[in-house]
Amino acid sequence: MQEYEIRDSKPETVRNQLPWYAHFHYKQEADPFERFSQAHLKRGSQRRKGARTQATQEQQGTQIEPILRNAIPPVLAQDIFRNIQ
């Protein structure tokens, strides 16, 4: 997985609060950027939460927290994220 922080450039924004993360998933570690299997945006509060978190919640009988995963279309991914180092 490759991850990008998306920060608000407004000076009044609290710098420690990163509201979004872009996640790019790959089938193999050596895959080039454009061969991601899925790409999505996540809220900062859900950055490290995923299917495993939800499976644990289900096994424990607790409410399953919905995790926002907004898809990033391939064209947008290429335009915005490809050349970021």
Side-chain angles (χ1 to χ4, degrees):
M1 183 187 80
Q2 195 169 20
E3 179 182 75
Y4 296 88
E5 293 178 349
I6 300 172
R7 298 178 185 213
D8 191 337
S9 62
K10 295 178 185 173
E12 67 271 9
T13 301
V14 178
R15 298 207 184 271
N16 292 334
Q17 294 180 356
L18 299 174
W20 297 98
Y21 286 86
H23 288 170
F24 291 84
H25 296 267
Y26 298 88
K27 293 184 180 186
Q28 297 180 27
E29 189 174 334
D31 283 347
F33 176 82
E34 58 274 355
R35 295 216 28 215
F36 56 85
S37 57
Q38 60 176 287
H40 55 257
L41 291 175
K42 281 182 136 178
R43 291 186 172 121
S45 62
Q46 297 179 330
R47 175 184 180 196
R48 299 192 189 281
K49 295 179 181 178
R52 251 187 258 157
T53 301
Q54 291 174 317
T56 300
Q57 291 169 340
E58 184 176 28
Q59 289 171 354
Q60 294 173 346
T62 60
Q63 183 176 353
I64 298 171
E65 176 186 357
I67 297 172
L68 179 69
R69 296 177 184 96
N70 286 346
I72 301 172
V75 172
L76 186 61
Q78 295 288 339
D79 287 348
I80 295 177
F81 297 98
R82 181 184 179 136
N83 295 316
I84 296 176
Q85 296 293 326

